[in-house]
């Protein structure tokens, strides 16, 4: 029987998706990215060797596994080239195993200029984007102005589109933002180079997924960012520009909902967020510093310090519902080692009254005061533990509480960054 699993973050990103995808790729034949772009930073550690991936699916370190980049991903060809070179340098064979959908929107240098110029203009209200041009590239896609990978291979069509789009964006950059502009000829030349990079990688991702299913192969769909960064269901406007939900796996890869057999939600044992926007359980004290230091909470893409706070079980329930999460992987449990008490947010108040935000947007979320339950911490190291029975009883009680509050079974618990630092509670495959 073929089995396809969607693995996605159910907080504000950086939950440890890369590690979990890499670990479960042992049982998979293909791994598919379906949204986002090189704003993602997915860290994999194998026997102490770290690899950070931004665009290439996190199955690439397993020989022979196919890696697919679906149409929902906004693609920066130069960033992809850089990543392939990095992997080549590590002796990882990419060509022949990686396929890119011709329907991916292309991220161009003017998208980066627009991203940065918008952020500058917003000042204190800035979203704190990764500055990779993600938002403007998705805007171009939706406005039907964008260039897609396929367009790069028809030179005269590509040039005609560029003439229009560069004229438009240069006007906005110059007149509205007072920013630098791009040179049309340079953009045309760049596109020729992009076509060369991408030519050997093109493939019909949707058809490939269908064939793999027919051949009863196992597929992993790898989410980027996290549920609370979803363009529709996240803390809008402090979100990314794609649908990060499990539902996005279908539209972003060209598959029907029937391909999804299981949804695995990856959740940190606490919460982090990079960039601006509301974060009810954020900590500004020694506990927050403990989480940041022990968790080494610095962005894998931009190196920015991540904001840290307690686990928010109310947001977790919301994420479980809108993704159809059927199993959880709790990561970074070891980061909580050494805390006297651990808190979990179970709901919110606003002006002293119970508050249940109907829409988890930035406005409603910024008014929430967390309501906590407090649990006993533990002082023994859980780092690298692989058996549930080896965990301190307080850590087991904490995991039980996450199960109870989320209403979802725990499939996995991660106790360290390495591929082998896991407790398997239920076999996902
Ligand atoms: P992703 O974007 O969801 O793939 O996550 P990132 O790679 O951006 O951030 C997760 C960080 O936590 C990386 O540095 C991982 O190596 C690390 N990590 C993952 N799982 C664990 C764990 O269980 N314990 C510890 N201490 N680190 C972990
Ligand atoms: P992974 O896949 C954490 C955040 C940015 C910013 C907002 C919008 O590694 O979990 P964007 O550049 O997407 O327009 O920025 O989204 N963000 C992430 N935060 N992890 C990520 O990816 C992120 N990708 C984007 O910090 O707040
Ligand atoms: Mg990350």
């Amino acid at each position: 029987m073929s089995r396809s699993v969607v693995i996605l973050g159910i907080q504000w990103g950086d939950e440890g998706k890369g590690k979990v995808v890499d670990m479960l790729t042992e049982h998979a034949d293909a791994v598919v990215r379906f949204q986002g772009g090189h704003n993602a930073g997915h860290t994999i550690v194998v026997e102490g060797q770290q690899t950070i991936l931004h665009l290439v699916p996190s199955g690439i370190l397993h020989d022979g596994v196919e890696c697919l980049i679906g149409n929902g991903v906004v693609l920066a060809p130069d960033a992809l080239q850089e990543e392939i070179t990095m992997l080549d340098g590590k002796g990882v064979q990419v060509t022949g195993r990686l396929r890119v959908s011709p329907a991916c929107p292309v991220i161009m240098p003017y998208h980066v200029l627009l991203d940065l110029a918008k952020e500058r203009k917003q000042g204190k209200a800035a979203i704190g984007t990764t500055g990779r041009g993600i938002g403007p590239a998705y805007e171009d896609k939706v406005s039907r102005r964008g260039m897609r990978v396929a367009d790069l291979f028809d030179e005269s069509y590509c040039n005609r589109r560029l003439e229009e789009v560069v004229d438009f964006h240069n006007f906005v950059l110059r007149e509205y933002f007072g920013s630098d502009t791009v040179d049309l000829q340079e953009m045309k030349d760049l596109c020729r180079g992009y076509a060369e990079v991408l030519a050997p990688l093109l493939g019909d991702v949707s058809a490939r997924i269908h064939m793999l299913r027919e051949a009863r192969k196992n597929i992993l769909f790898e989410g980027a960012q996290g549920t609370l960064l979803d363009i529709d269901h996240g803390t809008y406007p402090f979100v990314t520009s794609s649908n990060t939900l499990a539902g996005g796996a279908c539209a972003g890869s060209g598959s029907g909902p029937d391909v999804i057999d299981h949804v695995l939600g990856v959740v940190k044992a606490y919460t982090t967020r990079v960039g601006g926007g509301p974060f009810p359980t954020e900590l500004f004290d020694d506990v927050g510093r403990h989480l940041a230091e022990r968790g080494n909470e610095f962005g894998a893409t931009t190196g920015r310090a991540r904001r840290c706070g307690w686990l928010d079980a109310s947001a977790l329930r919301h994420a479980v519902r809108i993704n159809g999460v059927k199993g959880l992987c709790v990561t970074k449990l070891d980061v909580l080692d050494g805390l006297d008490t651990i808190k979990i947010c179970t709901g919110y108040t606003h002006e002293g009254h119970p508050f249940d935000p109907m829409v988890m947007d930035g406005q409603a979320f910024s008014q929430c005061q967390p309501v906590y339950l407090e649990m006993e911490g533990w002082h023994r190291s859980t780092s690298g533990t692989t058996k549930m029975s080896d965990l301190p009883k307080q850590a087991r009680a904490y995991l039980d509480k996450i199960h109870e509050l989320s209403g979802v079974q725990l499939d996995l618990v991660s106790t360290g960054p390495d591929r082998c630092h896991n407790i398997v509670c239920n076999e996902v495959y």
Side-chain angles (χ1 to χ4, degrees):
M1 261 287 281
S2 149
R3 187 163 159 87
S4 300
V5 179
V6 179
I7 299 178
L8 65 135
I10 51 178
Q11 294 160 309
W12 277 293
D14 303 326
E15 297 89 348
K17 299 173 291 292
K19 179 209 156 154
V20 179
V21 170
D22 167 71
M23 175 222 163
L24 289 174
T25 299
E26 185 192 342
H27 309 282
D29 300 286
V31 182
V32 188
R33 274 281 307 267
F34 55 88
Q35 46 70 232
H38 65 310
N39 48 350
H42 296 178
T43 313
I44 302 170
V45 181
V46 185
E47 291 171 6
Q49 290 287 328
Q50 179 178 275
T51 304
I52 298 177
L53 298 169
H54 303 285
L55 272 169
V56 174
S58 297
I60 198 74
L61 301 188
H62 291 261
D63 283 346
V65 168
E66 259 184 64
C67 289
L68 307 173
I69 297 182
N71 57 278
V73 171
V74 280
L75 195 90
D78 45 354
L80 182 62
Q81 169 81 75
E82 210 175 291
E83 208 164 308
I84 293 173
T85 307
M86 179 274 291
L87 287 164
D88 272 346
K90 286 176 176 263
V92 179
Q93 165 82 33
V94 178
T95 321
R97 287 173 56 203
L98 178 68
R99 280 169 218 251
V100 175
S101 166
C104 290
V106 180
I107 301 184
M108 297 291 294
Y110 44 81
H111 293 131
V112 177
L113 287 180
L114 286 162
D115 194 355
L116 299 175
K118 275 184 185 179
E119 287 281 282
R120 263 199 311 275
K121 195 164 178 99
Q122 295 264 52
K124 280 202 169 129
I127 288 165
T129 70
T130 59
R132 299 293 191 267
I134 305 293
Y138 276 119
E139 281 179 46
D140 265 6
K141 164 181 166 169
V142 174
S143 71
R144 295 162 289 186
R145 187 194 302 128
M147 306 264 303
R148 307 210 297 181
V149 165
D151 301 337
L152 300 171
F153 296 91
D154 180 339
E155 193 171 336
S156 66
Y157 178 69
C158 180
N159 285 347
R160 261 185 288 129
R161 280 198 78 93
L162 274 175
E163 276 156 28
E164 272 177 44
V165 78
V166 167
D167 185 49
F168 178 80
H169 285 317
N170 274 348
F171 178 80
V172 174
L173 282 166
R174 190 177 49 245
E175 303 298 327
Y176 185 72
F177 290 114
S179 148
D180 289 344
T181 54
V182 296
D183 180 72
L184 176 62
Q185 189 54 47
E186 264 178 42
M187 295 305 106
K188 289 180 178 175
D189 295 343
L190 211 51
C191 283
R192 301 290 81 71
Y194 288 170
E196 267 175 44
V197 170
L198 296 173
L201 302 174
L202 288 190
D204 186 336
V205 169
S206 163
R208 192 64 205 148
I209 291 171
H210 186 71
M211 280 162 68
L212 287 162
R213 292 281 292 180
E214 294 269 290
R216 299 187 181 281
K217 303 289 187 189
N218 292 335
I219 304 173
L220 288 180
F221 290 88
E222 175 181 8
Q225 290 79 56
T227 298
L228 297 174
L229 289 172
D230 182 272
I231 184 72
D232 291 303
H233 298 276
T235 48
Y236 190 90
F238 297 96
V239 291
T240 190
S241 299
S242 63
N243 280 117
T244 59
L245 303 187
C250 298
S253 67
S255 343
D258 58 315
V259 304
I260 301 174
D261 299 304
H262 189 69
V263 179
L264 180 67
V266 185
V267 55
K268 252 181 214 179
Y270 48 99
T271 309
T272 62
R273 155 159 229 181
V274 204
F279 180 178
T281 65
E282 185 168 11
L283 293 167
F284 301 94
D285 58 6
D286 285 346
V287 177
R289 282 187 284 280
H290 169 111
L291 298 174
E293 280 163 25
R294 267 196 72 98
N296 192 23
E297 295 296 354
F298 294 93
T301 295
T302 58
R304 289 179 292 175
R306 295 173 182 152
R307 301 155 63 190
C308 298
W310 295 118
L311 181 67
D312 185 338
S314 184
L316 179 60
R317 278 193 297 274
H318 166 78
V320 162
R321 187 176 69 244
I322 62 182
N323 286 299
V325 169
K326 292 289 180 287
L328 291 179
C329 173
V330 178
T331 60
K332 303 190 90 160
L333 183 71
D334 54 300
V335 173
L336 300 181
D337 294 353
L339 293 174
D340 293 331
T341 52
I342 296 171
K343 292 185 187 176
I344 307 181
C345 165
T346 54
Y348 313 106
T349 58
H350 175 51
E351 292 175 353
H353 301 289
F355 180 62
D356 184 10
M358 219 177 346
V359 183
M360 283 241 174
D361 66 10
Q363 189 51 25
F365 231 49
S366 64
Q367 297 167 355
C368 289
Q369 299 300 316
V371 175
Y372 287 119
L373 72 75
E374 210 165 311
M375 299 190 71
E376 201 186 332
W378 57 90
H379 291 275
R380 233 168 68 209
S381 167
T382 63
S383 183
T385 303
T386 54
K387 279 208 275 205
M388 192 59 94
S389 55
D390 288 345
L391 288 178
K393 71 172 190 310
Q394 296 88 341
R396 289 202 303 269
Y398 184 62
L399 293 171
D400 285 345
K401 188 55 81 179
I402 294 175
H403 165 59
E404 180 195 319
L405 292 172
S406 65
V408 178
Q409 70 183 26
L410 267 52
D411 286 343
L412 293 161
V413 178
S414 170
T415 56
D418 204 277
R419 186 188 268 177
C420 64
H421 294 155
N422 307 294
I423 301 170
V424 178
C425 315
N426 285 298
E427 294 290 350
V428 173
Y429 279 102

